Amino acid sequence: MAQHHHNPNQEQEQEQELPPQVLVLSPPPVFTAFQHNFSAKFRILKAYESPLSTDLFLANYAHSVRAVLCSGRTPITADLLRRLPSLQLVVTDSTGINNIDLPECRRQRISVANAGSVFSKDVADFAVGLLIDVMRRISASDRFVRRHLWSTHGDLPLASKLEGKRVGIIGLGSIGTEVAKRLEAFGCIISYNSKTKKPNVTYPFHPNVSQLASNSDVLIICSSLTDQTRHMINREVMSALGKGGVIINVGRGAIINEKELVECLVEGEIGGAGLDVFENEPTVPKELFGLDNVVLSPHRAAFTEESFFDCSQLVIANLEAFFGNRPLLTPVTDC
Amino acid sequence: MAQHHHNPNQEQEQEQELPPQVLVLSPPPVFTAFQHNFSAKFRILKAYESPLSTDLFLANYAHSVRAVLCSGRTPITADLLRRLPSLQLVVTDSTGINNIDLPECRRQRISVANAGSVFSKDVADFAVGLLIDVMRRISASDRFVRRHLWSTHGDLPLASKLEGKRVGIIGLGSIGTEVAKRLEAFGCIISYNSKTKKPNVTYPFHPNVSQLASNSDVLIICSSLTDQTRHMINREVMSALGKGGVIINVGRGAIINEKELVECLVEGEIGGAGLDVFENEPTVPKELFGLDNVVLSPHRAAFTEESFFDCSQLVIANLEAFFGNRPLLTPVTDC
C-alpha cells in the first residue's frame, strides 16, 4: 500500500511499469488461498487492510480502479458502483452472482465475470454426499458413536435405500447435470424442473416445482438465486414432497422459505434435509441443531483445494483478458 | 414357547400340523425388524427369551432343532454345533460369515446360507457416503455448525476433490463392483486387489495390497474377513498409501490392524478414515473420538428398511427351501 510518489513524472513512469490495480473490499476465499498468485500479477488494493475508512479508501482510488475482485458474500451495490466511476469489471470467485447488482452493472456498462462451472463437480459431489448422509444417517451415526452410545443404546432406526428413489433436481445447469449423472449410478430415478425444458435432455421435465415435488422422494436444489427462485420452495412444495421426503440445498439459502422449512422439519412434514446454504449466513436457525435427520454445512460445497486453485487461475485469466483487451473467459452474459 | 403336550399321540398329530422349528440364540437385526413374517411361517425357539439357561434350552431342543437362524454377531462355534446333533442348516441374515465355524459345519454336513448380495448396493452406497464425508469433511462441517463455530471461527480447512483420485478397491465382489460403478461417475480412477484377477474386469489388478496402496489415494475395503485377510491392512500398507491417503472400511474391522490404524491416524501417517466396522464391536478406540478427519459408524452400512425387508424374504425363502427339501437360494458353497 505504501506508495511514495513525489514526482508526478516519476509516478507516471512507474504507473506504466506497475501491474494493473485490482480492488478487493473483503478477501474472497479463493484469493485468500492463493494470494501470492494474484499479487504476482496485479497490484491488489486491499481495502480491508487499510487504516482508512472504506469511504476514504474508495475516494482515493475512485478514478483509477478499473476492476474489482469480490466473493459471493460481498454485496456489490449500486451505491458502491456509483462511487467507482472508472470501474469496468466486477470479477467474482463465486458461481452465484446474487450479491451483485446486475441491472446497475448493465446500466453502467460494467462487465461481470463469475467462476463459470469450475466448482460444478465439487458442488455436485457435495450434494450427493449430503443426500447419502441424510438418507443413510452418516453424521447421526458418527455422533452416536462419538457420544459412546453404541454399547449402551443398541441400534439407531433403520435408514433409507438410495436405489429406486425418485430424485427431482431443481436447476439442471452444470451442477444439476453432474448430480444427475452421479445419482444414476446409484439407481435413482431423475426428473427435473428449470426455467425452460432443456433440449437434448431425456429426464422428465416438470414445469411446476410442486408437481416435481409430488412426483419425487428427494428434491435437490442446484439453481441460482434470482427474483424468480427466491422462496420458490415453500410450505406448499414441501407438503407435496411429503413426510418421507428429503431436501438438499447447495444453491442459495433464500431459494427456500427457511422459516417454513424449519417448521416442516420440526413438525415432521418432511423427512429430512441436507443444507449447505442458509438465508442469513452464518446464522443457522437454532431449531435445526436438535434434529438428527438434518445435516448442516457452512457453505462448503465448493471448498476443495483443487477447485480453489482452478478458480484462482480462472479469475487471474479473466483479469488478464480484461486488462489485455481480450474477451472474458466466463462473462456473465445475462446482465 | 408354552407348549402343553401331555398325550404323546396328540403331540405327534400336532407336530405334523405345526410349522417347522427354527432356533434363534440372539435376535438378528433383520429378524427383529420383520419378526411377524418369520413367526407366521415357523415356530421360533427364542433362546434369549427363555427363563432357562442356554445350556438347558439347547439340551431341551437338541434332538428336534434342524435349523438355526443367526446374525453376523452371534458366534456359531464347534461347541454349539456339537450340542445340536440334529442341526442341518445355519442361516444368517448377514453376508459376512466369519462368525460361523465353517470347517466344523463341513465336517458335520451342516449347510450354511447367508444373505448373498442382498445388501451389496446399500453397503456400496454407504462406502461412497463415508468416502465423500471424509474427503469433503461433511460430518466435521455438521459438527462445526452445531457447535456454533461458523460465525466465530471462520472457515474450516479446504477439503479434497473426488475427481481424478485413484481409488484402490480391496475385494471386487458384488459390493466392490457396485462401489466402482458409483465412483466412476465421480471421475475416480479405479484399480483393485482380490484373491485372484477377475476375468472380464478392465480395472487394473494389483496382486499385492501394498502395491495397490502405493498406487492409490484411497483404499476401500470391501472384502470378507478370512484367515488370509485378517490384519491385511497394516502399517506397511498404510505407509504405502501415504500421508494424504484415506481408508474406508465396510468389510470387517479385523481386516485392518486397528492398533496400527489408530497410530497412523494419530501420527498423521495417513490422511483420514471412514469406518463402519471395528475389531471389537461395539468398542471403538477412544483415540478416534478426537479426530476430525475420521468418520465413525456403528456397523450400519447394510441397515436400510428396504434391504432388511428383502433380506427377511430371502432368509424365509432359504428356510422354506430347506424344510421343503429344495436347494438353498444363497448357499455358502466354500464351506
Coordinates of all heavy atoms in Angstrom, one line a residue, chain B residues 2-77:
Chain B
A2 N -44.9 -71.8 25.2 CA -45.7 -72.6 26.1 C -46.4 -73.7 25.4 O -47.4 -73.4 24.7 CB -46.6 -71.7 26.9
Q3 N -45.8 -74.9 25.4 CA -46.5 -76.0 24.7 C -46.9 -77.0 25.8 O -46.1 -77.4 26.6 CB -45.5 -76.6 23.7 CG -45.2 -75.7 22.5 CD -44.1 -76.2 21.7 OE1 -43.9 -77.4 21.6 NE2 -43.4 -75.3 21.0
H4 N -48.1 -77.4 25.6 CA -48.7 -78.4 26.6 C -49.0 -79.7 25.9 O -50.0 -79.9 25.4 CB -49.9 -77.8 27.3 CG -49.7 -76.5 27.9 ND1 -49.0 -76.3 29.0 CD2 -50.0 -75.3 27.4 CE1 -48.9 -75.0 29.3 NE2 -49.5 -74.3 28.3
H5 N -48.0 -80.6 25.9 CA -48.1 -81.9 25.2 C -48.2 -83.0 26.2 O -47.1 -83.5 26.6 CB -47.0 -82.1 24.2 CG -46.9 -81.0 23.2 ND1 -45.7 -80.6 22.7 CD2 -47.8 -80.3 22.6 CE1 -45.9 -79.7 21.8 NE2 -47.2 -79.5 21.7
H6 N -49.4 -83.4 26.6 CA -49.5 -84.5 27.6 C -49.7 -85.8 27.0 O -49.1 -86.8 27.4 CB -50.6 -84.2 28.6 CG -50.4 -82.9 29.3 ND1 -49.3 -82.7 30.2 CD2 -51.0 -81.7 29.3 CE1 -49.3 -81.4 30.6 NE2 -50.3 -80.8 30.1
N7 N -50.5 -85.9 25.9 CA -50.8 -87.1 25.2 C -49.8 -87.3 24.0 O -49.8 -86.4 23.1 CB -52.2 -87.0 24.7 CG -52.6 -88.3 24.0 OD1 -51.8 -88.9 23.3 ND2 -53.9 -88.6 24.0
P8 N -49.0 -88.3 24.1 CA -48.0 -88.5 23.0 C -48.6 -88.6 21.6 O -48.1 -88.0 20.7 CB -47.3 -89.8 23.3 CG -47.6 -90.0 24.8 CD -48.9 -89.4 25.1
N9 N -49.8 -89.2 21.5 CA -50.4 -89.3 20.2 C -50.9 -87.9 19.7 O -50.6 -87.5 18.6 CB -51.7 -90.1 20.3 CG -51.3 -91.6 20.4 OD1 -50.2 -92.0 20.1 ND2 -52.2 -92.4 21.0
Q10 N -51.4 -87.1 20.7 CA -51.9 -85.8 20.3 C -50.7 -84.9 19.9 O -50.7 -84.2 19.0 CB -52.5 -85.1 21.6 CG -53.3 -83.9 21.3 CD -53.8 -83.3 22.6 OE1 -54.0 -84.0 23.6 NE2 -54.0 -82.0 22.5
E11 N -49.6 -85.2 20.7 CA -48.3 -84.4 20.4 C -47.9 -84.6 18.9 O -47.6 -83.7 18.2 CB -47.2 -84.8 21.4 CG -46.0 -83.9 21.1 CD -44.9 -84.2 22.2 OE1 -45.2 -84.9 23.2 OE2 -43.8 -83.7 22.0
Q12 N -47.9 -85.9 18.6 CA -47.4 -86.3 17.2 C -48.3 -85.6 16.2 O -47.8 -85.1 15.2 CB -47.5 -87.8 17.1 CG -46.5 -88.3 16.1 CD -46.4 -89.9 16.1 OE1 -47.2 -90.5 16.8 NE2 -45.4 -90.4 15.4
E13 N -49.6 -85.7 16.4 CA -50.5 -85.1 15.5 C -50.3 -83.6 15.3 O -50.2 -83.1 14.2 CB -52.0 -85.3 16.1 CG -53.1 -85.3 15.0 CD -54.4 -85.6 15.7 OE1 -54.4 -86.5 16.6 OE2 -55.4 -84.9 15.5
Q14 N -50.1 -82.9 16.5 CA -49.8 -81.5 16.5 C -48.5 -81.2 15.8 O -48.4 -80.3 15.0 CB -49.7 -81.0 17.9 CG -51.1 -80.8 18.6 CD -50.9 -79.8 19.8 OE1 -49.9 -79.5 20.2 NE2 -52.1 -79.5 20.3
E15 N -47.5 -82.0 16.0 CA -46.2 -81.8 15.4 C -46.3 -81.8 13.9 O -45.7 -81.0 13.2 CB -45.2 -83.0 15.8 CG -44.6 -82.9 17.2 CD -43.6 -81.8 17.3 OE1 -43.0 -81.4 16.3 OE2 -43.3 -81.4 18.5
Q16 N -47.2 -82.7 13.4 CA -47.4 -82.7 11.9 C -48.0 -81.4 11.4 O -47.7 -81.0 10.3 CB -48.2 -83.9 11.5 CG -47.5 -85.2 11.6 CD -48.4 -86.4 11.4 OE1 -49.6 -86.3 11.4 NE2 -47.8 -87.6 11.4
E17 N -48.9 -80.9 12.2 CA -49.6 -79.6 11.7 C -48.7 -78.4 12.0 O -48.9 -77.4 11.3 CB -50.9 -79.5 12.5 CG -51.9 -80.5 12.0 CD -53.1 -80.5 13.0 OE1 -53.2 -79.6 13.9 OE2 -53.9 -81.4 12.9
L18 N -47.9 -78.4 13.0 CA -47.2 -77.2 13.4 C -46.1 -76.9 12.4 O -45.5 -77.8 11.8 CB -46.5 -77.4 14.8 CG -47.5 -77.4 16.0 CD1 -46.7 -77.9 17.2 CD2 -48.1 -76.1 16.2
P19 N -45.9 -75.6 12.2 CA -44.8 -75.2 11.3 C -43.4 -75.6 11.9 O -43.3 -75.9 13.1 CB -44.9 -73.7 11.3 CG -45.8 -73.3 12.4 CD -46.6 -74.4 12.8
P20 N -42.4 -75.7 11.0 CA -41.1 -76.2 11.5 C -40.4 -75.3 12.5 O -40.7 -74.1 12.5 CB -40.3 -76.3 10.2 CG -41.0 -75.6 9.1 CD -42.4 -75.4 9.6
Q21 N -39.6 -75.9 13.3 CA -38.9 -75.1 14.3 C -37.6 -74.4 13.8 O -36.9 -75.1 13.0 CB -38.4 -76.1 15.5 CG -39.5 -76.6 16.3 CD -39.0 -77.5 17.4 OE1 -39.5 -77.4 18.5 NE2 -37.9 -78.2 17.2
V22 N -37.4 -73.2 14.2 CA -36.1 -72.5 13.9 C -35.6 -71.9 15.2 O -36.3 -71.2 15.9 CB -36.3 -71.4 12.9 CG1 -35.0 -70.6 12.7 CG2 -36.9 -71.9 11.6
L23 N -34.3 -72.3 15.6 CA -33.7 -71.9 16.8 C -33.0 -70.5 16.6 O -32.3 -70.3 15.6 CB -32.6 -72.9 17.2 CG -31.8 -72.5 18.4 CD1 -32.6 -72.3 19.7 CD2 -30.7 -73.5 18.7
V24 N -33.4 -69.6 17.5 CA -32.7 -68.3 17.5 C -32.0 -68.0 18.8 O -32.7 -68.0 19.8 CB -33.7 -67.1 17.1 CG1 -33.0 -65.8 17.2 CG2 -34.3 -67.4 15.8
L25 N -30.7 -67.9 18.8 CA -30.0 -67.8 20.1 C -30.0 -66.3 20.6 O -30.3 -66.1 21.8 CB -28.5 -68.2 19.9 CG -28.4 -69.8 19.7 CD1 -27.0 -70.1 19.1 CD2 -28.7 -70.6 20.9
S26 N -29.8 -65.4 19.7 CA -30.0 -64.0 20.0 C -30.5 -63.4 18.7 O -30.2 -63.8 17.6 CB -28.7 -63.3 20.4 OG -27.7 -63.3 19.4
P27 N -31.4 -62.4 18.9 CA -32.2 -62.0 17.7 C -31.4 -61.2 16.6 O -30.9 -60.1 16.9 CB -33.3 -61.1 18.3 CG -32.7 -60.6 19.6 CD -31.8 -61.7 20.1
P28 N -31.3 -61.7 15.4 CA -30.6 -61.0 14.4 C -31.4 -59.7 14.0 O -32.7 -59.7 14.1 CB -30.6 -62.0 13.2 CG -31.0 -63.3 13.8 CD -31.8 -63.0 15.0
P29 N -30.8 -58.6 13.6 CA -31.5 -57.4 13.3 C -32.6 -57.5 12.3 O -33.7 -56.9 12.5 CB -30.4 -56.5 12.8 CG -29.1 -57.1 13.2 CD -29.3 -58.5 13.5
V30 N -32.4 -58.3 11.3 CA -33.4 -58.5 10.2 C -34.6 -59.2 10.8 O -35.8 -58.9 10.5 CB -32.8 -59.2 9.0 CG1 -34.0 -59.7 8.1 CG2 -31.9 -58.3 8.2
F31 N -34.4 -60.2 11.7 CA -35.4 -60.9 12.3 C -36.2 -60.0 13.2 O -37.5 -60.0 13.2 CB -34.8 -62.1 13.1 CG -35.8 -62.8 14.0 CD1 -36.7 -63.7 13.5 CD2 -35.8 -62.5 15.4 CE1 -37.6 -64.3 14.3 CE2 -36.7 -63.2 16.2 CZ -37.6 -64.0 15.7
T32 N -35.5 -59.1 14.0 CA -36.2 -58.2 14.9 C -37.1 -57.3 14.1 O -38.2 -57.0 14.5 CB -35.1 -57.4 15.6 OG1 -34.3 -58.3 16.3 CG2 -35.8 -56.4 16.6
A33 N -36.6 -56.8 12.9 CA -37.4 -55.8 12.2 C -38.7 -56.5 11.5 O -39.7 -55.8 11.3 CB -36.5 -55.2 11.1
F34 N -38.6 -57.7 11.2 CA -39.7 -58.4 10.5 C -40.2 -59.7 11.1 O -40.5 -60.7 10.5 CB -39.4 -58.6 9.0 CG -39.2 -57.3 8.2 CD1 -38.0 -56.8 8.1 CD2 -40.3 -56.7 7.8 CE1 -37.8 -55.6 7.4 CE2 -40.2 -55.5 7.1 CZ -38.9 -54.9 6.9
Q35 N -40.2 -59.7 12.5 CA -40.4 -60.9 13.3 C -41.8 -61.5 12.9 O -41.8 -62.8 12.8 CB -40.4 -60.5 14.8 CG -40.2 -61.6 15.7 CD -39.8 -61.2 17.1 OE1 -40.1 -61.9 18.0 NE2 -39.2 -60.0 17.3
H36 N -42.8 -60.7 12.6 CA -44.1 -61.3 12.3 C -44.1 -62.1 11.1 O -44.8 -63.1 11.0 CB -45.1 -60.1 12.2 CG -44.7 -59.1 11.2 ND1 -43.8 -58.1 11.5 CD2 -45.1 -58.8 9.9 CE1 -43.6 -57.3 10.4 NE2 -44.4 -57.8 9.5
N37 N -43.3 -61.8 10.1 CA -43.2 -62.6 8.9 C -42.6 -64.0 9.2 O -42.9 -65.0 8.6 CB -42.3 -61.9 7.8 CG -43.0 -60.6 7.3 OD1 -44.2 -60.4 7.5 ND2 -42.2 -59.8 6.7
F38 N -41.6 -64.0 10.1 CA -41.0 -65.3 10.5 C -41.9 -66.1 11.3 O -42.1 -67.3 11.1 CB -39.7 -65.0 11.3 CG -38.5 -64.5 10.5 CD1 -38.4 -63.2 10.2 CD2 -37.6 -65.4 9.9 CE1 -37.3 -62.7 9.4 CE2 -36.6 -65.0 9.1 CZ -36.4 -63.6 8.9
S39 N -42.6 -65.5 12.3 CA -43.5 -66.2 13.2 C -44.7 -66.8 12.4 O -45.3 -67.8 12.9 CB -44.0 -65.2 14.3 OG -42.9 -64.7 15.0
A40 N -45.0 -66.1 11.3 CA -46.2 -66.6 10.5 C -45.8 -68.0 9.8 O -46.7 -68.7 9.4 CB -46.6 -65.6 9.5
K41 N -44.6 -68.2 9.7 CA -44.2 -69.4 8.9 C -43.4 -70.5 9.7 O -43.4 -71.7 9.3 CB -43.2 -69.0 7.8 CG -43.8 -67.9 6.9 CD -43.7 -68.3 5.4 CE -44.4 -67.2 4.6 NZ -44.5 -67.7 3.2
F42 N -42.8 -70.1 10.8 CA -42.0 -71.0 11.6 C -42.3 -70.9 13.1 O -42.8 -69.8 13.5 CB -40.5 -70.7 11.4 CG -40.1 -70.6 9.9 CD1 -39.9 -69.4 9.4 CD2 -40.1 -71.7 9.1 CE1 -39.6 -69.3 8.0 CE2 -39.8 -71.6 7.8 CZ -39.5 -70.4 7.2
R43 N -42.0 -72.0 13.8 CA -42.1 -71.9 15.3 C -40.7 -71.4 15.7 O -39.7 -72.2 15.6 CB -42.3 -73.2 15.9 CG -43.8 -73.5 16.2 CD -44.0 -74.8 16.8 NE -43.5 -75.9 16.0 CZ -43.1 -77.1 16.4 NH1 -43.2 -77.4 17.6 NH2 -42.7 -78.0 15.5
I44 N -40.6 -70.2 16.1 CA -39.3 -69.6 16.5 C -39.0 -70.0 18.0 O -39.7 -69.6 18.9 CB -39.2 -68.1 16.3 CG1 -39.7 -67.7 14.9 CG2 -37.8 -67.5 16.6 CD1 -38.8 -68.1 13.8
L45 N -37.9 -70.7 18.2 CA -37.4 -71.0 19.5 C -36.5 -69.9 20.0 O -35.3 -69.9 19.6 CB -36.7 -72.4 19.5 CG -37.5 -73.6 18.8 CD1 -36.6 -74.8 18.8 CD2 -38.8 -73.8 19.6
K46 N -37.0 -69.0 20.8 CA -36.3 -67.9 21.2 C -35.5 -68.2 22.5 O -36.0 -67.9 23.6 CB -37.2 -66.7 21.5 CG -38.0 -66.3 20.2 CD -38.9 -65.1 20.6 CE -39.7 -64.7 19.4 NZ -40.7 -63.6 19.6
A47 N -34.3 -68.6 22.3 CA -33.4 -69.0 23.5 C -33.2 -67.8 24.4 O -33.2 -67.9 25.6 CB -32.1 -69.5 23.0
Y48 N -33.2 -66.6 23.8 CA -32.9 -65.4 24.5 C -34.0 -64.9 25.4 O -33.9 -64.0 26.2 CB -32.4 -64.2 23.6 CG -33.4 -63.9 22.5 CD1 -34.4 -62.9 22.6 CD2 -33.5 -64.7 21.3 CE1 -35.3 -62.7 21.6 CE2 -34.4 -64.5 20.3 CZ -35.3 -63.5 20.4 OH -36.2 -63.2 19.5
E49 N -35.2 -65.4 25.1 CA -36.4 -65.0 25.9 C -36.7 -66.1 27.0 O -37.6 -65.9 27.8 CB -37.6 -64.8 25.0 CG -37.6 -63.5 24.4 CD -38.9 -63.2 23.6 OE1 -39.8 -64.1 23.6 OE2 -39.0 -62.1 23.1
S50 N -36.0 -67.2 26.9 CA -36.4 -68.3 27.8 C -35.9 -68.1 29.2 O -34.8 -67.5 29.4 CB -35.8 -69.6 27.3 OG -35.9 -70.6 28.2
P51 N -36.6 -68.5 30.2 CA -36.1 -68.4 31.6 C -35.0 -69.4 31.8 O -34.2 -69.3 32.8 CB -37.3 -68.6 32.5 CG -38.3 -69.4 31.6 CD -38.0 -69.0 30.2
L52 N -34.9 -70.5 31.0 CA -33.9 -71.5 31.1 C -32.5 -70.9 30.7 O -32.4 -70.0 30.0 CB -34.2 -72.7 30.2 CG -35.6 -73.4 30.3 CD1 -35.7 -74.5 29.3 CD2 -35.7 -74.0 31.8
S53 N -31.5 -71.6 31.3 CA -30.2 -71.2 30.8 C -30.0 -71.7 29.4 O -30.7 -72.6 28.9 CB -29.1 -71.9 31.7 OG -29.2 -73.3 31.5
T54 N -29.1 -71.1 28.7 CA -28.9 -71.5 27.3 C -28.5 -73.0 27.2 O -29.1 -73.7 26.3 CB -27.7 -70.7 26.6 OG1 -28.0 -69.3 26.8 CG2 -27.5 -71.0 25.2
D55 N -27.7 -73.5 28.2 CA -27.4 -74.9 28.2 C -28.6 -75.8 28.3 O -28.8 -76.7 27.5 CB -26.5 -75.2 29.4 CG -25.1 -74.8 29.2 OD1 -24.8 -74.4 28.0 OD2 -24.3 -75.0 30.1
L56 N -29.5 -75.5 29.2 CA -30.7 -76.3 29.4 C -31.6 -76.1 28.2 O -32.2 -77.1 27.7 CB -31.5 -75.8 30.6 CG -31.3 -76.7 31.9 CD1 -32.0 -76.1 33.1 CD2 -31.8 -78.1 31.6
F57 N -31.7 -74.9 27.7 CA -32.6 -74.6 26.5 C -32.1 -75.5 25.3 O -32.9 -76.2 24.6 CB -32.5 -73.1 26.1 CG -33.6 -72.7 25.1 CD1 -34.8 -72.3 25.5 CD2 -33.3 -72.8 23.8 CE1 -35.8 -71.9 24.6 CE2 -34.2 -72.4 22.8 CZ -35.5 -72.0 23.2
L58 N -30.8 -75.5 25.1 CA -30.2 -76.2 24.0 C -30.5 -77.7 24.2 O -30.9 -78.5 23.3 CB -28.7 -76.0 23.8 CG -28.4 -74.6 23.3 CD1 -26.8 -74.5 23.2 CD2 -28.9 -74.4 21.9
A59 N -30.3 -78.2 25.4 CA -30.5 -79.6 25.7 C -31.9 -80.0 25.4 O -32.2 -81.1 24.9 CB -30.1 -79.9 27.2
N60 N -32.9 -79.1 25.8 CA -34.3 -79.4 25.5 C -34.6 -79.7 24.1 O -35.5 -80.5 23.7 CB -35.2 -78.3 26.0 CG -35.5 -78.4 27.5 OD1 -35.2 -79.4 28.1 ND2 -36.3 -77.5 28.0
Y61 N -34.0 -78.9 23.2 CA -34.3 -78.9 21.8 C -33.2 -79.6 20.9 O -33.3 -79.7 19.7 CB -34.5 -77.5 21.3 CG -35.8 -76.9 21.8 CD1 -35.7 -76.0 22.9 CD2 -37.0 -77.2 21.3 CE1 -36.9 -75.5 23.4 CE2 -38.2 -76.7 21.8 CZ -38.1 -75.8 22.9 OH -39.3 -75.2 23.4
A62 N -32.2 -80.2 21.6 CA -31.1 -80.7 20.9 C -31.5 -81.7 19.8 O -30.9 -81.7 18.7 CB -30.2 -81.4 21.9
H63 N -32.5 -82.5 20.1 CA -32.8 -83.6 19.1 C -33.9 -83.2 18.1 O -34.2 -84.0 17.2 CB -33.1 -84.9 19.9 CG -31.9 -85.4 20.6 ND1 -30.9 -86.1 19.9 CD2 -31.5 -85.2 21.8 CE1 -29.9 -86.3 20.8 NE2 -30.3 -85.8 22.0
S64 N -34.4 -82.0 18.3 CA -35.5 -81.6 17.3 C -35.1 -80.4 16.4 O -35.7 -80.2 15.3 CB -36.8 -81.3 18.1 OG -36.6 -80.2 18.9
V65 N -34.1 -79.7 16.8 CA -33.8 -78.5 16.0 C -32.9 -78.8 14.8 O -31.8 -79.4 14.9 CB -33.0 -77.5 16.9 CG1 -32.3 -76.4 16.0 CG2 -33.9 -76.8 17.9
R66 N -33.5 -78.5 13.6 CA -32.8 -78.8 12.4 C -32.2 -77.5 11.8 O -31.4 -77.6 10.9 CB -33.8 -79.5 11.4 CG -34.2 -80.9 11.9 CD -35.3 -81.4 11.0 NE -34.9 -81.5 9.6 CZ -35.7 -81.4 8.5 NH1 -37.0 -81.2 8.7 NH2 -35.2 -81.5 7.3
A67 N -32.7 -76.4 12.2 CA -32.3 -75.1 11.6 C -32.0 -74.0 12.7 O -32.8 -73.9 13.6 CB -33.3 -74.6 10.6
V68 N -30.9 -73.3 12.5 CA -30.6 -72.2 13.4 C -30.6 -70.9 12.5 O -30.0 -70.9 11.4 CB -29.2 -72.4 14.0 CG1 -28.6 -71.0 14.6 CG2 -29.3 -73.4 15.2
L69 N -31.2 -69.9 13.0 CA -31.1 -68.5 12.4 C -30.2 -67.7 13.3 O -30.4 -67.5 14.5 CB -32.5 -67.9 12.3 CG -32.5 -66.4 11.9 CD1 -31.9 -66.1 10.6 CD2 -34.0 -65.9 11.9
C70 N -29.1 -67.1 12.6 CA -28.2 -66.2 13.4 C -27.9 -64.9 12.6 O -28.3 -64.8 11.5 CB -26.9 -67.0 13.7 SG -25.9 -67.3 12.3
S71 N -27.3 -64.0 13.3 CA -26.8 -62.8 12.7 C -25.3 -62.9 12.4 O -24.7 -64.0 12.7 CB -27.1 -61.6 13.6 OG -26.2 -61.6 14.7
G72 N -24.7 -61.8 12.0 CA -23.2 -61.8 11.8 C -22.5 -61.6 13.2 O -21.3 -61.7 13.2
R73 N -23.3 -61.4 14.2 CA -22.7 -61.2 15.5 C -22.5 -62.4 16.4 O -21.7 -62.4 17.3 CB -23.5 -60.1 16.3 CG -23.6 -58.8 15.5 CD -24.5 -57.8 16.3 NE -24.8 -56.6 15.5 CZ -25.6 -55.7 15.8 NH1 -26.3 -55.7 17.0 NH2 -25.9 -54.6 15.0
T74 N -23.5 -63.4 16.3 CA -23.5 -64.5 17.2 C -22.5 -65.6 16.8 O -22.6 -66.1 15.7 CB -24.9 -65.2 17.2 OG1 -25.9 -64.1 17.2 CG2 -25.1 -66.1 18.3
P75 N -21.6 -65.9 17.6 CA -20.6 -66.9 17.3 C -21.3 -68.3 17.2 O -22.0 -68.7 18.1 CB -19.6 -66.9 18.4 CG -19.8 -65.7 19.2 CD -21.3 -65.3 19.0
I76 N -21.2 -68.9 16.0 CA -21.7 -70.3 15.8 C -20.4 -71.2 15.9 O -19.7 -71.4 14.9 CB -22.4 -70.4 14.5 CG1 -23.6 -69.4 14.4 CG2 -22.9 -71.9 14.3 CD1 -24.7 -69.6 15.4
T77 N -20.2 -71.7 17.1 CA -18.9 -72.4 17.4 C -19.1 -73.9 17.2 O -20.2 -74.4 17.2 CB -18.5 -72.1 18.9 OG1 -19.5 -72.6 19.7 CG2 -18.3 -70.6 19.2

